[in-house]
Amino acid sequence: MQVGVLASGTGSILRAMLERRIPVAVVIADRPCGALDIARDAGIPDELVERTDFSKNFDRVAYTDRVVAALRAHDVDLVTIAGFGTILSPPFVEAFGGRALNTHPALLPAFKGWHAVRDALEAGVDETGCTVHLVTEDVDAGPILAQEAVPVLEDDTEETLHERIKEVERRLYPDVIEKMVREGVRQ
Ligand code: GRF
């Protein structure tokens, strides 16, 4: 079983996956980022499929095709999204539906989207958390595989709360991935 990781950030979740010996075949990023450095340091193939257009004319389908081609080139069976900053188009789900996972820093269906931690703080909830789910065409709406709550503390900032959520993600996400790798995913 070959796992592909899509990331855009510091890569702390990727690092946790590697510490758990998840068989990562390639790390793909949409911008230069810490996750690519972690892959290089670990001797894992990395690919920068750079997104240069952040305008409304961005050709999302063409970009998605490049990501799918890179995943296929590395014979990826299971895609794990770990903080990837570009929403992919339907051709991604057509290629990897049922074999693509995402971790989201909120208790879905609450606080979908890129600012989930900030939105939870602004809503004044006393707990939020993280969710591991299958990727479907609707963003942050696929079947939920695991969830864990994290309390919001009085003096939390977006950074402190996100870091506590990520501590949980670094355990929960590898747990789910490990299970899928062990049991196999339906092709
Ligand atoms: C995680 O909270 C993930 O859920 C979110 O981006 C963060 C990635 O963190 N969408 P890192 O780059 O692995 O540290």
Side-chain angles (χ1 to χ4, degrees), residues 6-82:
L6 302 184
S8 306
T10 60
S12 72
I13 294 174
L14 166 66
R15 192 191 297 282
M17 289 169 62
L18 296 175
E19 281 167 6
R20 294 275 294 268
R21 308 225 174 277
I22 305 279
V24 177
V26 64
V27 175
I28 296 171
D30 62 354
R31 65 199 76 187
C33 61
L36 289 177
D37 299 332
I38 290 173
R40 269 174 225 139
D41 289 349
I44 288 166
D46 66 279
E47 296 237 12
L48 175 59
V49 182
E50 192 155 14
R51 173 177 174 182
T52 48
D53 184 357
F54 288 84
S55 77
K56 64 175 174 24
N57 298 322
F58 173 52
D59 189 343
R60 207 173 284 280
V61 173
Y63 181 80
T64 299
D65 287 344
R66 289 171 60 205
V67 172
V68 168
L71 289 164
R72 287 201 169 125
H74 290 271
D75 287 326
V76 164
D77 305 296
L78 176 67
V79 184
T80 59
I81 299 177

Side-chain angles (χ1 to χ4, degrees), residues 18-180:
L18 296 175
E19 281 167 6
R20 294 275 294 268
R21 308 225 174 277
I22 305 279
V24 177
V26 64
V27 175
I28 296 171
D30 62 354
R31 65 199 76 187
C33 61
L36 289 177
D37 299 332
I38 290 173
R40 269 174 225 139
D41 289 349
I44 288 166
D46 66 279
E47 296 237 12
L48 175 59
V49 182
E50 192 155 14
R51 173 177 174 182
T52 48
D53 184 357
F54 288 84
S55 77
K56 64 175 174 24
N57 298 322
F58 173 52
D59 189 343
R60 207 173 284 280
V61 173
Y63 181 80
T64 299
D65 287 344
R66 289 171 60 205
V67 172
V68 168
L71 289 164
R72 287 201 169 125
H74 290 271
D75 287 326
V76 164
D77 305 296
L78 176 67
V79 184
T80 59
I81 299 177
F84 192 63
T86 299
I87 291 169
L88 297 171
S89 289
F92 174 73
V93 175
E94 280 157 28
F96 288 102
R99 3 188 231 128
L101 306 179
N102 182 39
T103 175
H104 182 77
L107 293 174
L108 291 172
F111 309 118
K112 295 177 180 173
W114 193 245
H115 299 294
V117 180
R118 187 191 308 169
D119 292 346
L121 264 183
E122 283 174 3
V125 292
D126 54 20
E127 71 170 20
T128 179
C130 61
T131 304
V132 178
H133 66 94
L134 280 173
V135 176
T136 56
E137 280 189 22
D138 295 325
V139 177
D140 296 334
I144 291 172
L145 303 178
Q147 270 186 322
E148 198 168 310
V150 173
V152 179
L153 306 180
E154 200 115 304
D155 56 353
D156 259 333
T157 61
E158 187 177 348
E159 290 68 37
T160 59
L161 179 56
H162 197 177
E163 187 48 37
R164 283 208 319 289
I165 293 171
K166 289 209 291 185
E167 276 170 26
V168 177
E169 291 185 281
R170 294 193 278 259
R171 169 173 44 78
L172 193 65
Y173 203 28
D175 280 351
V176 174
I177 297 165
E178 223 171 58
K179 187 162 181 282
M180 282 192 93

